[in-house]
Amino acid sequence: MKEIWVLTVKTSLPNTCYNSSDFITTCEAYGCFEKGRDALRETIKKFAFSKNSMFDGKGNITYLKKYADNYDDEVYEDDFETLDIKRIKYVVDSLRDAFSGKDIEFEMESEYCTDWMIAINSKPGEISFHGEYDGPCNGYDPDLRTNIFSMKEEKHYYLYVNDRFGQDDCTSELYIDLQKAELN
């Protein structure tokens, strides 16, 4: 059996997604992990560093960056870690570095934090966002999941983004996977 690495990209970019017919899907195969990883990084870099409906052309998810730039660092008294300005800026900067192709050690001091609009779940090298409490009814219901911070190890890598960070219109969507497969 021969191992290959399959890079799958499904996206609405450079536009927003009104319905499933707006998606473009591509699939490429590579003979080794390194070539697949390099192709994944170039694909992400192409999207993140060009101005489109999701990215600002500087490696930032536009609406996530606006969310961070306008962040009100209100303190909540509860049984969870509060998502604060330091954490949200760390996430924005770490994502931009990962989108540029750098291997970084991503680790937040808390596995779960929220600000009552969005919540972040994290573990070393992985992050996911989702709408929380009042968020979805106020237009904050992002789906952002990734493990591309450090890509030294041969494993399944993914970046899934539906950028609902408060915009009133349709969102942009990007789903990228790099997975090992075997050919007979």
Side-chain angles (χ1 to χ4, degrees):
M1 292 209 197
K2 178 179 168 138
E3 285 184 358
I4 61 170
W5 287 85
V6 179
L7 176 63
T8 308
V9 180
K10 181 178 178 181
T11 187
S12 66
L13 295 177
N15 304 310
T16 55
C17 183
Y18 292 96
N19 59 50
S20 62
S21 67
D22 293 333
F23 285 116
I24 299 167
T25 303
T26 60
C27 189
E28 299 174 352
Y30 298 91
C32 66
F33 168 72
E34 291 77 15
K35 287 183 181 180
R37 178 191 60 204
D38 293 347
L40 179 138
R41 284 181 166 163
E42 282 305 310
T43 300
I44 292 171
K45 199 181 295 185
K46 179 184 80 174
F47 288 125
F49 290 90
S50 64
K51 193 161 175 57
N52 55 54
S53 62
M54 182 180 288
F55 295 100
D56 65 2
K58 299 174 186 171
N60 298 299
I61 298 172
T62 303
Y63 290 105
L64 172 59
K65 178 84 165 82
K66 285 181 184 179
Y67 188 81
D69 289 346
N70 297 317
Y71 202 79
D72 179 14
D73 212 7
E74 186 176 336
V75 176
Y76 299 100
E77 296 295 326
D78 213 326
D79 295 334
F80 56 82
E81 290 286 329
T82 301
L83 178 59
D84 57 20
I85 191 68
K86 183 182 100 186
R87 286 185 175 114
I88 195 76
K89 295 235 182 225
Y90 173 71
V91 168
V92 169
D93 293 343
S94 296
L95 286 169
R96 185 181 52 249
D97 287 347
F99 296 160
S100 73
K102 294 178 186 173
D103 279 319
I104 62 169
E105 296 302 319
F106 176 83
E107 187 168 358
M108 291 179 62
E109 60 274 3
S110 175
E111 288 184 13
Y112 170 81
C113 56
T114 185
D115 65 358
W116 296 92
M117 296 294 265
I118 63 171
I120 297 176
N121 292 300
S122 68
K123 48 187 168 180
E126 294 181 39
I127 192 167
S128 68
F129 279 75
H130 62 272
E132 184 90 338
Y133 301 110
D134 294 339
C137 62
N138 287 301
Y140 293 91
D141 197 14
D143 180 12
L144 192 157
R145 294 173 279 154
T146 192
N147 68 345
I148 63 164
F149 295 105
S150 178
M151 297 180 64
K152 296 175 183 174
E153 181 183 333
E154 289 188 16
K155 66 178 189 177
H156 172 214
Y157 288 99
Y158 58 89
L159 170 64
Y160 307 141
V161 184
N162 183 331
D163 68 346
R164 185 166 303 285
F165 283 99
Q167 65 270 44
D168 292 330
D169 54 357
C170 294
T171 61
S172 303
E173 297 183 45
L174 174 64
Y175 306 99
I176 300 176
D177 284 285
L178 178 65
Q179 298 181 57
K180 182 169 58 172
E182 293 183 358
L183 296 175
N184 289 331

